Amino acid sequence: MAPDAAARPTRAELRLAAREQSRAQRRGAAKAATRTALLRVALPSVAALGVAAAAAVSVQGEADQRAQAAGRVPLSAADEAPDTAAAHAAAAQAIAAGAPAQASRGDARQPLAGAQPTEAPVAQPTAQPAPEPVKPKVVMPVAQHGLGELFGEAGTHWANRHTGIDFPVDGGSEVYAVTDGTLRTQWNPFYGYMTILKMPDGTEAWYCHLRAYKVRKGPVKQGDVIAFVGTSGNSTGPHLHFEIRPQDSKPIDPLPWFLANGLDPR
């Protein structure tokens, strides 16, 4: 056999080489299709993988294309770097299973819509009821302040010393109950027309030399009009003679009694 004829491949060898080349091309096409499918699955998860992962996928795709153009078969998914292959596989499985993509650091820094903090509502103060006015312990027996004759004074008008204090006011002036209590009235030749107010603790207030009564007997409230100033009995002119007599006791000075109850009638 001639040397040229021995160097030529036989038909069987040509057919075998053609089949091997066809198989290689089919394997290359299958690997390229697998690579394209992985890229199609992985690309929608760019937001989850971040900008760096998307750039890496693009660079790898361009490298595979250049490798195919140069006649080199690209690596399969199993031949890739373990970290990249695992990342692509995990992304593909998450998307196929419908799991939400992991947010990137940039996404985590974005404020959520409608989740901005708002100021806490300020509690409006509730209207407080007006405090009730404090009731005075005692009130004046007449409207006008000022005293005439004082307790204990001596004079020709009294058999003994003066047993009360005098309020020199006009005849007909109103006379008031100094506290709550119960009234009774009577006539006395020295005191004239008089009203006696008995207080809850048993103390009595005597109003003397009256002109007329407004209330003759019964309960009254502090400040009620009970009589009118006159000059009846042993009197030299219109005035109110006022006495304080503790229960079952002789009269005491009304001025310290008024002062002890927070009122100065002077």
Side-chain angles (χ1 to χ4, degrees):
M1 182 177 295
D4 292 338
R8 293 177 184 177
T10 64
R11 291 183 179 181
E13 290 176 346
L14 290 175
R15 285 195 296 270
L16 180 60
R19 283 196 297 269
E20 290 298 331
Q21 184 177 3
S22 177
R23 289 174 183 174
Q25 290 177 352
R26 286 196 299 271
R27 285 197 300 270
K31 290 181 180 181
T34 301
R35 176 66 61 189
T36 302
L38 287 175
L39 290 175
R40 290 176 180 176
V41 171
L43 285 177
S45 61
V46 170
L49 295 177
V51 176
V57 172
S58 299
V59 170
Q60 184 63 37
E62 293 175 0
D64 292 343
Q65 291 178 2
R66 287 195 298 270
Q68 291 178 2
R72 296 191 300 271
V73 178
L75 295 174
S76 64
D79 297 330
E80 292 181 8
D83 293 342
T84 305
H88 289 177
Q93 292 176 1
I95 294 173
Q102 181 180 0
S104 66
R105 292 183 179 179
D107 295 335
R109 289 193 296 267
Q110 297 298 323
L112 297 177
Q116 296 296 329
T118 58
E119 294 184 359
V122 179
Q124 297 297 327
T126 57
Q128 298 295 329
E132 295 183 1
V134 178
K135 182 180 179 180
K137 294 181 179 180
V138 298
V139 296
M140 287 280 290
V142 292
Q144 181 179 331
H145 285 246
L147 299 178
E149 302 293 341
L150 299 178
F151 180 83
E153 290 188 357
T156 59
H157 302 292
W158 315 293
N160 297 304
R161 293 185 180 273
H162 197 214
T163 55
I165 56 177
D166 290 346
F167 291 87
V169 293
D170 295 336
S173 298
E174 293 180 337
V175 177
Y176 308 109
V178 292
T179 66
D180 297 347
T182 304
L183 288 184
R184 72 179 191 271
T185 59
Q186 65 186 46
W187 165 261
N188 183 287
F190 298 101
Y191 290 113
Y193 294 107
M194 59 182 297
T195 291
I196 300 173
L197 171 65
K198 189 171 185 178
M199 304 175 194
D201 65 354
T203 301
E204 291 184 347
W206 287 21
Y207 302 80
C208 305
H209 306 305
L210 302 174
R211 173 187 293 181
Y213 306 120
K214 175 71 179 291
V215 180
R216 285 186 174 272
K217 62 179 180 179
V220 292
K221 294 293 185 182
Q222 183 184 77
D224 287 350
V225 177
I226 58 176
F228 301 94
V229 173
T231 186
S232 61
N234 187 13
S235 172
T236 59
H239 71 283
L240 174 68
H241 176 85
F242 183 85
E243 293 186 9
I244 286 293
R245 293 175 178 252
Q247 186 175 15
D248 301 326
S249 178
K250 294 180 179 180
I252 62 173
D253 189 351
L255 181 56
W257 181 84
F258 275 114
L259 295 175
N261 285 284
L263 182 62
D264 188 349
R266 292 171 294 187

